[in-house]
Amino acid sequence: MARTWLPPVEYVATLPKATAYACLYFTDTAGRPFQLRSVYGSGAWQWPGGNMDPGETPWQTAVRECREETGILFEGEPRLLAAHFLAPCGEDWPANHIGFIFDGGTLDDEQIAGVVLDPEEHTEYRVLTLAEWERIMSPRNFHRLAHIDRARREGAAVYLETGAFA
């Protein structure tokens, strides 16, 4: 039986759709995670980052979004901490969502004090211990934070699946 290969354009149309995000994970000099409170949805805590624009790589997205959301011009090298997969969420988000979390390194007190938030995206920022973050974050989002923090400390990237994106 001979195989018939589809032209690339037709084949790609048969594949699952996905969107992608990228962000930078920072801690302060005491190793406490730095996060931003989103104005969207439930006001979840998140890292500087966002959805990829057409033509961008994940790394370019993380650096651009960090600058736009915090004023921090990150000039470090890309070091991946995690790949993150979220399944489609019906009509609310009908595509897979794939994330790339990069190590942003350490922010000193002056850099943290100089953060300028985009008020259309975030209402505040905080630097807290993991125990403090656990008390104010949803279990699902804290699970992701704890794995990213561990990946940073241990120097080994992780793969996460956290269910549907919404």
Side-chain angles (χ1 to χ4, degrees), residues 57-145:
T57 67
W59 178 244
Q60 290 167 332
T61 299
V63 171
R64 173 186 55 79
E65 287 281 350
C66 181
R67 182 180 29 78
E68 290 174 1
E69 294 178 353
T70 66
I72 296 170
L73 178 56
F74 187 77
E75 297 178 341
E77 295 295 319
R79 182 170 163 258
L80 186 66
L81 293 176
H84 181 210
F85 176 84
L86 297 107
C89 187
E91 290 182 15
D92 289 339
W93 197 272
N96 293 324
H97 198 51
I98 300 166
F100 301 87
I101 299 98
F102 295 98
D103 189 353
T106 302
L107 298 174
D108 62 29
D109 292 344
E110 185 178 327
Q111 289 170 306
I112 293 169
V115 167
V116 178
L117 296 178
D118 176 351
E120 293 184 13
E121 296 206 41
H122 298 98
T123 59
E124 64 179 304
Y125 64 86
R126 291 188 190 175
V127 177
L128 302 172
T129 65
L130 283 177
E132 291 168 326
W133 281 121
E134 186 172 22
R135 287 193 289 273
I136 65 171
M137 294 177 75
S138 72
R140 178 175 125 166
N141 288 344
F142 179 75
H143 173 81
R144 183 177 67 150
L145 170 64

Side-chain angles (χ1 to χ4, degrees), residues 2-23:
R3 289 191 182 201
T4 304
W5 295 96
L6 291 173
V9 170
E10 290 179 39
Y11 175 69
V12 169
T14 70
L15 298 175
K17 304 300 179 248
T19 58
Y21 79 90
C23 57

